[in-house]
Amino acid sequence: MERHYYDEMHAAPDQVRGHYRALAQWLAETPPERVLEKRREADLLFHRVGITFAVYGDAQGAERLIPFDTIPRIIPLAEWELLVKGLTQRVTALNRFLHDIYHGQEILKAGVIPAEQVLTHDAYQVAMLGLDLPNETYSQIAGIDLVRNQDGRWHVLEDNLRTPSGVSYMIENRRMMMRLFPELFASQHVLPVEHYPTMLLETLRAAAPRSRHEPTVVLLTPGPYNSAYFEHAFLAEEMGIELVEGQDLLVKDGFVYMRTTGGPQRVDVIYRRMDDAYLDPLAFRVESLLGVPGLLSAYRAGNVGLANAIGTGVADDKSTYPFVPDMIRFYLGEAPLIENVPTWQCKRPDDLAHVLHNLAELVVKEVQGSGGYGMLIGPAATQAQLEAFRARLQANPSNYIAQPTLALSTCPTFVERGIAPRHVDLRPFVLSGKEVKIVPGGLTRVALKQGSLVVNSSQGGGTKDTWVVD
Amino acid sequence: MLSRAAARIYWMSRQIERAENLARILGVTSNLLLFGKPEVQEQNLLAPLSITGAAEAFFARHRALTLPALITFLALDEDNHSSIYYCIRMARENAHAMRGQITSEMWESLNATWIEMRAMRHEQVTGAGATRFFDWVKERSHLFRGITYGTIVRGEAFNFSRLGTFLERADNTARILDVKYHVLLPSVEDVGGALDYYQWAALLRSVSSFSTYRTLYHDQIYPIRVAELLLLERRMPRSIAACLEQVREAIGKIEGQNDQAAKRLAWELYARLTYADVKEIFQGGLHEYLTACLTDMDELGHRIGRAYLGVV
């Protein structure tokens, strides 16, 4: 089936879009050998960094390098500014929603979202009820996954409000591009992204208990065997804060301290990169050795800030996703600036019937799934796969949602035989402290396999530098 | 600095220093066997095991005490926690976990040492190549220390690295002196008696101080002077006094809380060695003196652990 995709670079086969003109000219003028040589250099440099990745995971099997593509993905500033408005609107509404469901529950009372959708949700944390957070912010760091459809319109594919990762690639990719192709940056104005760690630190400080003037912030990692450990170490170093493990922290008299050579030192904000369930063995999973006993009580006493807050998962999973546009209308009285992808909730009988009838055209996802696992891509599935999935779907409908197979936009990408279009998405990182801030850019993921629509790195995806150009 | 980080850096430095001292001890043992009188050969072979306190573990694994078996056990045995192999492995593991806190040069050097160590074949180490292997271990240790001094910022990581290096070295020199002196002088009456020149020269060489002895004393080798040099000579960088001076300086720079007990003992040890009289030491018995020093250095290690490294 021949499908039409939005080409990010070309308006027509021989017509390059305005914001790609400088790049196209450079590609045309630069001898292919030089580009090839630079690509090899990039491979080599990343391999060196990659050795870092691999060694960190060496006890649990080598971690793969995420391939880097040297053709940037470009977004004109005017378009970016619209995205910023839409993202700010969306994350603001999501934070309002989280505050509401742990306080007055106005949105449930108004019947905008069914109460059972929220209150019986696995990620809903009763411990958060009535707890007042600084700036009423729950998800200080959000990664919102965006895609463009056939006509180039942006849609939100997924909200990530727990511990979104990937921002280290955004920064490393930019450093790599500036190192390899400085002339590209001289010929046009690419907005910088390198100040992200500074912005992040400011955001984290805003999550400190109110009385603390120069709050001490730490990054809590599950440890070197976590797949995102490289990013944890990278961000801690860039921000100049301690990278701690659970064993480095202790709770005494309701306050959190880290064990240092100079004795216990008070900790005011924990940028935690582990899931709720592992944070405090006294409150959540007893068997967790990664967490800090007593952390929840210190948090509830208002003596330490957590970023992100506990219990944000109720707002970002795929069963809540269809309600986000309603949240925006309910809390902000505005129309959503960036649309959702149309979504059928299989727990609704009508929706289920539609999904079962059109299974071969749809993408079906597990409500709690992530990383591209456990999903069905109808058009790419065999008859046997379709039937197997149909049985699973009928057995447990409320575990699934379905969406039309998206015609993700394409961006030119280096492949074995030169340059070819490959599908991309975009994850901008939205920081909510005293105000909402977004660094101009994000992580562009690219499906390197021809025709593939799955951009997840666990499924053979790569990354690109993302340019917002003035 | 996080206690966990300090502990890893402290142990990384101790382990690499320990590997070096093991190489020195094994090197001198191989040498002694070439020159020693037949009646002391077994004692010479036993000495490295006494020094490292690993005799029991050795005989659990080896029936006969031969030089190849000894080298296999102390240089290559993966399960022996007092082997060069194990020390290098642990030093590298600690460095790996602390890559953000040490310089990349330090990490790369230790990692390269480990990769070479892992590839080392048995016959390269136990046979004719043994001396070359011991020299390699010493060189890698020198290189790592040089890189550390040449690249790391003078902060807490440096203080803990220095503390680990010199406490370990003081401990090792005390052990070498204690055991070898005992082997070389089976009874007190022998003090000042006929000496096996080569044996004493080997002892001095094991701590790189043969020519230092010559330079400082311009004299033939007397046991009491050897002891004085290794114990009290502050110009000799492997003497216990010189090491404890470094320990005292390094711990003095560490800003701690509830670390009075550790700092006090560091100063006490320093004062004891700095204002000592070698004749008095011999009157009280060298072995007794060294035993007391080793006990106190061990206690200092425990106090450092409790004061800074999160040991409960």
Side-chain angles (χ1 to χ4, degrees), chain A residues 51-52 55-56 58 229 237 242-245 247-248 258-264, chain B residues 1-4 6 92 96-97 99-101 107 156 160 254-257 307-308:
Chain A
I51 290 168
T52 313
V55 175
Y56 275 128
D58 61 2
Y229 183 73
E237 197 178 339
E242 292 288 358
L243 177 66
V244 303
E245 297 177 15
Q247 53 174 319
D248 296 322
M258 59 178 155
R259 300 175 211 269
T260 76
T261 55
Chain B
M1 156 170 239
L2 283 179
S3 297
R4 180 171 51 88
R92 183 261 182 195
H96 183 218
R99 283 180 68 174
Q101 313 254 351
W107 156 246
E156 292 289 55
F160 279 102
I254 294 169
E255 289 178 28
Q257 223 181 43
Y308 308 115

Side-chain angles (χ1 to χ4, degrees), chain B:
Chain B
M1 156 170 239
L2 283 179
S3 297
R4 180 171 51 88
R8 284 194 179 272
I9 287 170
Y10 169 82
W11 281 108
M12 170 188 78
S13 303
R14 280 198 81 146
Q15 280 144 348
I16 213 69
E17 182 67 29
R18 190 173 294 181
E20 178 186 334
N21 282 293
L22 280 165
R24 289 175 175 279
I25 291 164
L26 286 172
V28 79
T29 301
S30 314
N31 217 328
L32 279 175
L33 290 173
L34 301 175
F35 299 105
K37 297 173 189 162
E39 59 270 24
V40 295
Q41 294 298 55
E42 192 178 344
Q43 275 179 305
N44 274 330
L45 280 172
L46 206 53
L49 294 173
S50 315
I51 291 170
T52 54
E56 203 176 311
F58 176 85
F59 287 108
R61 246 165 284 186
H62 299 271
R63 276 219 307 260
L65 181 57
T66 62
L67 187 62
L70 184 73
I71 294 176
T72 303
F73 181 70
L74 285 179
L76 298 177
D77 195 324
E78 295 178 30
D79 301 318
N80 173 14
H81 290 198
S82 351
S83 75
I84 293 173
Y85 181 96
Y86 187 82
C87 286
I88 291 177
R89 194 186 115 196
M90 293 312 291
R92 183 261 182 195
E93 212 162 273
N94 282 321
H96 183 218
M98 284 301 111
R99 283 180 68 174
Q101 313 254 351
I102 60 177
T103 63
S104 53
E105 287 98 328
M106 287 168 72
W107 156 246
E108 278 161 25
S109 163
L110 261 190
N111 196 37
T113 304
W114 164 240
I115 289 167
E116 277 184 70
M117 178 73 234
R118 211 171 35 175
M120 206 70 78
R121 282 171 294 117
H122 191 261
E123 54 275 21
Q124 275 176 285
V125 177
T126 53
T131 310
R132 202 182 303 153
F133 171 71
F134 301 138
D135 285 346
W136 174 80
V137 175
K138 278 193 279 180
E139 269 174 33
R140 296 306 300 185
S141 170
H142 291 324
L143 181 64
F144 178 68
R145 202 166 38 253
I147 289 173
T148 303
Y149 273 70
T151 60
I152 199 170
V153 66
R154 266 43 181 175
E156 292 289 55
F158 177 66
N159 294 335
F160 279 102
S161 168
R162 202 171 155 206
L163 191 56
T165 300
F166 288 101
L167 188 56
E168 182 66 28
R169 189 184 292 172
D171 173 280
N172 288 200
T173 299
R175 285 170 193 270
I176 291 172
L177 181 60
D178 191 22
V179 172
K180 297 312 288 187
Y181 205 93
H182 186 65
V183 171
L184 295 178
L185 284 178
S187 70
V188 186
E189 293 83 67
D190 287 347
V191 178
L195 287 174
D196 185 333
Y197 170 81
Y198 291 106
Q199 299 267 346
W200 286 100
L203 167 58
L204 286 170
R205 283 204 177 92
S206 75
V207 288
S208 302
S209 51
F210 180 69
S211 61
T212 309
Y213 184 94
R214 287 275 191 240
T215 311
L216 293 180
Y217 296 106
H218 310 289
D219 202 350
Q220 57 173 303
I221 297 172
Y222 290 111
I224 195 162
R225 289 202 159 158
V226 171
E228 185 178 33
L229 180 66
L230 265 52
L231 269 172
L232 308 179
E233 180 50 63
R234 282 161 64 195
R235 288 171 292 177
M236 209 289 276
R238 307 196 79 82
S239 78
I240 303 173
C243 294
L244 287 172
E245 186 173 17
Q246 298 277 337
V247 165
R248 194 263 299 161
E249 256 185 51
I251 203 170
K253 291 198 164 108
I254 294 169
E255 289 178 28
Q257 223 181 43
N258 302 324
D259 60 348
Q260 299 85 346
K263 283 183 170 152
R264 187 172 61 241
L265 186 54
W267 279 85
E268 279 171 13
L269 274 163
Y270 164 73
R272 192 188 307 169
L273 273 289
T274 303
Y275 306 109
D277 182 292
V278 73
K279 292 194 192 81
E280 253 175 58
I281 293 173
F282 270 77
Q283 276 160 15
L286 179 64
H287 173 67
E288 287 70 19
Y289 186 83
L290 288 169
T291 305
C293 281
L294 280 166
T295 307
D296 286 343
M297 286 192 270
D298 196 42
E299 172 62 20
L300 178 56
H302 289 304
R303 291 188 189 180
I304 287 168
R306 286 195 296 271
Y308 308 115
L309 310 180
V311 177
V312 184

